[in-house]
Amino acid sequence: MRPLTMVGNWKMHGSLSANQAFLQELLAAPDLGKKPGRFALCVPYPYLAQVSQLLAHSPVVLGAQDISDHSHGAYTGEVSGQMLKEFGTRYVIVGHSERRAYHHETDDCVARKAKAALLNGITPIICVGETESERDAGQTLPVVRRQLQAVLDLLQNKIADCLIAYEPIWAIGTGRVASPHEAQDVHRELRLQLAKFDADAASKVAILYGGSLKPDNAKEMLAMPDIDGGLVGGASLVAKDFLALCAIDQ
Ligand code: PEP
């Protein structure tokens, strides 16, 4: 049984005072931590230190939203895995569709970033997903298979130490959600692809759904056999919504 995994992606939101207020509300919730599960918040780089301190000894762990594929050197603006590790970062999102689209990250680059995370003991959350036009052209499965295969080729059996997030791009931040069956079909394909590679990893790796997940649509989604949790944008900015997502029984 894979535990429920709920990961918030704050994207480029927050401020020192708003983060403090959010975490105060989140951590005051009496039920948080009573349920088994893995909970994380992926915050902007400048807030790693603040959020790391506030989350200390809580059931919610720290995550980042990107990582350099280099270990160190003349890469202005980049942040290395070792730096993330120093702040207690446990998860890092790699290959989010916004980075693939706006920063031209390729499948190979995403795979190298996942490797950089693992080399530093940080769990990569590897995002895959199709655009609306790819979906309309019936290309969903070939696209996500290609994205996952690039990571499998580089990481080999280390894939067992990763998380995967299926995020249909047309559902991110749009209020449009994939139907639970539609998402399940993709998750099952991803798990089959993992199983062809490494059966043990396939049963172990959590595959999260992301795309307008909210407390009122998550229960049905998480009831699907291959959907193990969520990667959540908008709803992770509202403490009561994130708490409600973490409290869902699978
Ligand atoms: C995301 O940022 O990965 C995401 C899924 O956003 P939202 O939940 O807002 O659609």
Side-chain angles (χ1 to χ4, degrees):
M1 173 73 184
R2 294 173 295 271
L4 173 74
T5 303
M6 202 53 72
V7 179
N9 173 14
W10 281 2
K11 309 197 189 195
M12 199 170 71
H13 294 289
S15 67
L16 290 172
S17 59
N19 303 345
Q20 169 98 31
F22 175 99
L23 290 166
Q24 219 164 336
E25 185 179 344
L26 188 83
L27 299 177
D31 292 340
L32 186 69
K34 285 200 185 141
K35 246 181 117 271
R38 297 186 287 199
F39 311 120
L41 288 170
C42 296
V43 308
Y45 289 145
Y47 301 134
L48 287 172
Q50 178 201 22
V51 176
S52 162
Q53 280 193 355
L54 292 170
L55 289 181
H57 316 299
S58 91
V60 183
V61 300
L62 184 67
Q65 299 172 15
D66 188 30
I67 182 172
S68 175
D69 55 340
H70 300 284
S71 61
H72 63 278
Y75 300 104
T76 303
E78 294 285 282
V79 173
S80 72
Q82 202 183 338
M83 293 170 186
L84 295 179
K85 192 69 190 166
E86 280 195 305
F87 288 93
T89 304
R90 302 268 294 277
Y91 292 92
V92 64
I93 299 170
V94 297
H96 191 282
S97 59
E98 288 152 15
R99 294 211 59 89
R100 290 182 190 257
Y102 309 144
H103 300 273
H104 313 291
E105 292 190 2
T106 61
D107 294 341
D108 289 344
C109 165
V110 172
R112 288 196 304 275
K113 288 186 171 202
K115 186 173 177 186
L118 289 170
L119 284 172
N120 287 284
I122 298 170
T123 302
I125 303 169
I126 300 155
C127 299
V128 299
E130 82 287 5
T131 62
E132 182 152 35
S133 57
E134 288 165 338
R135 177 195 191 214
D136 292 346
Q139 291 299 302
T140 298
L141 295 180
V143 167
V144 298
R145 280 195 207 111
R146 188 204 71 222
Q147 292 170 330
L148 178 58
Q149 193 58 45
V151 178
L152 290 172
D153 288 344
L154 188 69
L155 299 190
Q156 303 282 315
N157 63 350
K158 291 281 177 220
I159 195 69
D161 300 326
C162 302
L163 303 184
I164 294 168
Y166 168 54
E167 298 208 306
I169 296 169
W170 48 269
I172 297 180
T174 59
R176 292 169 62 198
V177 197
S179 78
H181 288 284
E182 207 175 355
Q184 164 59 23
D185 285 349
V186 180
H187 283 232
R188 189 185 47 230
E189 277 298 313
L190 292 170
R191 203 174 299 286
L192 285 173
Q193 187 176 354
L194 289 173
K196 278 188 208 143
F197 195 82
D198 180 340
D200 209 37
S203 63
K204 197 178 142 202
V205 170
I207 307 180
L208 316 182
Y209 168 81
S212 298
L213 201 65
K214 305 269 183 271
D216 62 3
N217 59 29
K219 201 168 167 46
E220 264 188 293
M221 195 67 87
L222 296 174
M224 294 290 135
D226 289 299
I227 302 183
D228 306 311
L231 179 55
V232 187
S236 73
L237 295 168
V238 179
K240 73 170 176 21
D241 287 351
F242 190 64
L243 281 166
L245 289 166
C246 294
I248 288 174
D249 284 318
Q250 266 173 308

